Amino acid sequence: MRGGARSWAVWAVGLSAYVVAVLHRTSLGVAGLDAQARFGIGASALASFAVLQLLVYAGLQVPVGVLLDRFGSLRLVVGGALVMAAGQALMAFSDGVGGAVAARVLVGAGDAMTFISVLRLVPQWFPSRRVPVVTQLTGIVGQVGQVLSAVPLAALLAGAGWTTAFISASAAGVFVAVVAMVALHDSPERRISTGEAVTARRLGSDLATAWRHPGTRLGLWTHFTTQFPGTVFALMWGYPFLVAGEGLSRATASSMLTLFVIVGMVGGPLLGVLVQRHPLRRSWLVLGVIAMNALGWALVIAWPGRAPLAVLLLLVVALGLGGPGSMIGFEFARTFNPPNRLGTATGIVNVGGFVASLTTILLVGLILDARTGGRAAYDIADFKVAMSVQYAIGVLGVLGILRTRRLARQRLAAEGVHVRPLREVLAERGWFSAQRLGKG
């Protein structure tokens, strides 16, 4: 039975693999200052580690999506967990940049296999009416992995040291791989599902068809614009910004990253319910999240000198909503594509946020190095200039959303689905007078 206790148990197993994947993904963020000291590198070199990791992740999304349609979730989740565990073990014993680079490549490759594989389980195990909420829960509860990196992993780094911290992370990856191997099932009917063989002709057809649909591209631009501010903050620059820029203690900075996750966990189900109830207004929810992120950073950047803790809390709350907002991109992919093409479409969407993130992470690192001459001695003014680059990426994403939303609505109209302008709906409900809204 879809949606019963067995469904939740299988989903929980997949979710545990994603939680550990997020731990691996964000581990470099809390270890950033330690990594600079261990490897003797500057900000741009450190940023290149994260950029390479995300580049591998983003570059593998479409191939992994195709493999997911062919081989199912179980095999990819187990393989991804073991690849990431190998990467963290390599990082634990690396003393040079070469080993660290190879380690982050492995983490990016394993991470690429995990999230969309767990997302694929949701429509397989739950009725369609529950899918938006469970999808949000998947993305948001998975961010508990950030708490694991911000608190216990950070504590191990400060106490037991580098090697113990990363070996512990590797052990967690092996553990979830074993659990998934024993308990995960691709669908209620089959433990392991196998799709049609992948041929070059079918691969090209699925990719082209998924990409041509403006709903898929709307999902990509949604993910691109909503996800990157939070990812840049949690994965790479948030911890150094709070500690070196804003002068917070390591413990307080870890608490702020924990709050970031909690906000997402609370906001995710709420956005999921709104998406479920108002499926034709999803893009307005997306634009609202983007506006909150932009206003949060504007307040911190405009504040003279270091911002007070209350202002930083507002920023973290705004950024915490970016993760739930990005999950709406996968809803666009799900509703605009048939089940046999879902893995491919989901992979296309998932590329967006990580391309934006890796671009921003690298630009922030380059700007910091340019202002400090490559020395790891940053002040708040350096961070304000560097973090402002996010607005350029955000504007590009908003333009993409507006264009593809218009095209998607034209496609819906051609299929007989009319999306009424939001102002007409608000006027009808008496929120604004027709006079104020205008006649056009």
Side-chain angles (χ1 to χ4, degrees), residues 74-144:
L74 170 59
R75 285 179 277 198
L76 267 66
V77 168
V78 172
L82 292 176
V83 170
M84 285 184 284
Q88 295 292 59
L90 178 58
M91 181 66 91
F93 297 104
S94 293
D95 292 318
V97 171
V101 167
R104 298 321 287 180
V105 167
L106 289 173
V107 169
D111 192 12
M113 300 180 197
T114 306
F115 179 56
I116 65 173
S117 299
V118 177
L119 276 189
R120 176 65 174 265
L121 293 171
V122 177
Q124 295 288 339
W125 283 92
F126 293 91
S128 58
R129 69 180 184 278
R130 291 190 187 176
V131 169
V133 174
V134 180
T135 297
Q136 282 287 350
L137 287 173
T138 303
I140 300 311
V141 178
Q143 300 312 305
V144 168

Side-chain angles (χ1 to χ4, degrees), residues 12 58-59 63 76 81 83 91 102 123 136 143 150 170 197 214 272 309 339 367 391 411 430 435:
L76 267 66
V83 170
M91 181 66 91
Q136 282 287 350
Q143 300 312 305
S170 178
L309 186 61
I367 293 170
Y391 286 99
R411 177 70 71 91
Q435 210 171 27

Side-chain angles (χ1 to χ4, degrees), residues 276-359:
Q276 184 179 4
R277 292 181 179 176
H278 307 285
L280 298 180
R281 302 299 170 194
R282 293 175 292 187
S283 62
W284 284 107
L285 294 173
V286 168
L287 293 172
V289 169
I290 294 168
M292 292 184 69
N293 277 269
L295 290 172
W297 270 117
L299 185 59
V300 170
I301 291 171
W303 200 275
R306 289 175 169 172
L309 186 61
V311 172
L312 295 176
L313 288 171
L314 288 175
L315 171 64
V316 171
V317 168
L319 293 175
L321 293 174
S326 72
M327 299 302 294
I328 299 175
F330 298 112
E331 277 298 295
F332 287 126
R334 181 183 68 84
T335 55
F336 284 115
N337 288 275
N340 66 302
R341 207 170 61 223
L342 183 57
T344 302
T346 302
I348 291 172
V349 169
N350 208 24
V351 168
F354 290 95
V355 167
S357 297
L358 68 88
T359 301

Side-chain angles (χ1 to χ4, degrees), residues 225-239:
T225 319
T226 52
Q227 194 218 37
F228 85 87
T231 299
V232 169
F233 191 83
L235 183 66
M236 185 76 260
W237 292 119
Y239 197 82

